[in-house]
Amino acid sequence: MAAEDHRQLWQVHTWLLDFQLAGAQGLQGSLTEQQLQQCWAAWQQQMQPTLEQQHTEFQRSVFAAVRQLPITWQQQPQLEQLSVGRDGVTPDGALLLDIAGRTAAGVLVAVEADGPTHFREPDGGLMGTTQYRNRALAVRGYRLVSVPWWEWAKLRGDAQRQQYLMQQFEQAGVV
């Protein structure tokens, strides 16, 4: 099998686990442990360049605004975090989050700076990959705060951006 085949199998495996399909075993039993390990390694290899990429100005500005919010954190928000597993603690590497943290109350928070590639043309609906990401985050216990690029671009100054984010955090049930 090619590396792409392994990556796709790993995605199917995590999808089956996330949504409790196939007896909540994923591809275990259909693939050997060695094959699953090869799939995981191919996925990790694909994720590595993304982890090393420079953050966009959009991501950095959302991150700066999140850090200024009047929220007490158990784990400070960080840029480019791997998602935690269904146990809520151990990183599973299935998703790469723009910004992630844990509030003092123990709430897992994922803040996604959603650029144009997350939305369909011409209706502006969410792409399928973004819909999957949102569902997979919910399964892992995250409260998602999605920041669409066009809404962020309309905001002027730190005060407007922080007010907008607080509203989004409230709507997500974070605060």
Side-chain angles (χ1 to χ4, degrees):
M1 283 196 290
E4 180 60 25
D5 297 327
H6 283 109
R7 288 191 294 269
Q8 288 179 1
L9 282 171
W10 185 254
Q11 286 179 297
V12 169
H13 176 68
T14 57
W15 180 76
L16 291 170
L17 289 173
D18 284 347
F19 299 106
Q20 301 294 302
L21 302 171
Q25 295 297 310
L27 292 175
Q28 292 173 338
S30 297
L31 298 177
T32 67
E33 282 303 312
Q34 181 182 6
Q35 290 170 321
L36 276 174
Q37 185 63 31
Q38 289 171 330
C39 294
W40 181 84
W43 181 256
Q44 292 303 309
Q45 187 175 15
Q46 178 179 316
M47 296 291 274
Q48 195 58 41
T50 305
L51 281 166
E52 295 168 1
Q53 285 180 353
Q54 294 295 316
H55 303 110
T56 66
E57 179 59 35
F58 174 38
Q59 289 171 315
R60 286 193 302 272
S61 67
V62 171
F63 180 62
V66 166
R67 291 184 55 106
Q68 297 301 314
L69 294 176
I71 295 175
T72 306
W73 297 96
Q74 184 183 86
Q75 287 178 297
Q76 287 291 323
Q78 299 293 318
L79 277 168
E80 299 293 344
Q81 289 291 296
L82 293 173
S83 59
V84 298
R86 285 158 292 286
D87 63 5
V89 179
T90 309
D92 68 0
L95 302 163
L96 184 61
L97 310 177
D98 288 342
I99 303 164
R102 187 185 301 266
T103 68
V107 177
L108 278 170
V109 181
V111 181
E112 289 293 318
D114 288 338
T117 60
H118 291 274
F119 303 95
R120 293 187 311 257
E121 290 291 334
D123 68 341
L126 290 175
M127 296 292 280
T129 53
T130 303
Q131 291 178 36
Y132 167 75
R133 177 205 68 194
N134 295 352
R135 290 184 195 120
L137 287 171
V139 166
R140 287 169 173 74
Y142 283 93
R143 301 290 173 89
L144 174 63
V145 175
S146 176
V147 181
W149 64 275
W150 72 85
E151 289 184 11
W152 195 252
K154 290 188 287 189
L155 301 171
R156 299 291 174 236
D158 292 344
Q160 277 190 1
R161 288 177 170 178
Q162 289 174 6
Q163 181 181 14
Y164 171 83
L165 282 174
M166 280 306 292
Q167 289 171 346
Q168 298 303 106
F169 272 61
E170 288 169 5
Q171 287 175 4
V174 176
V175 292

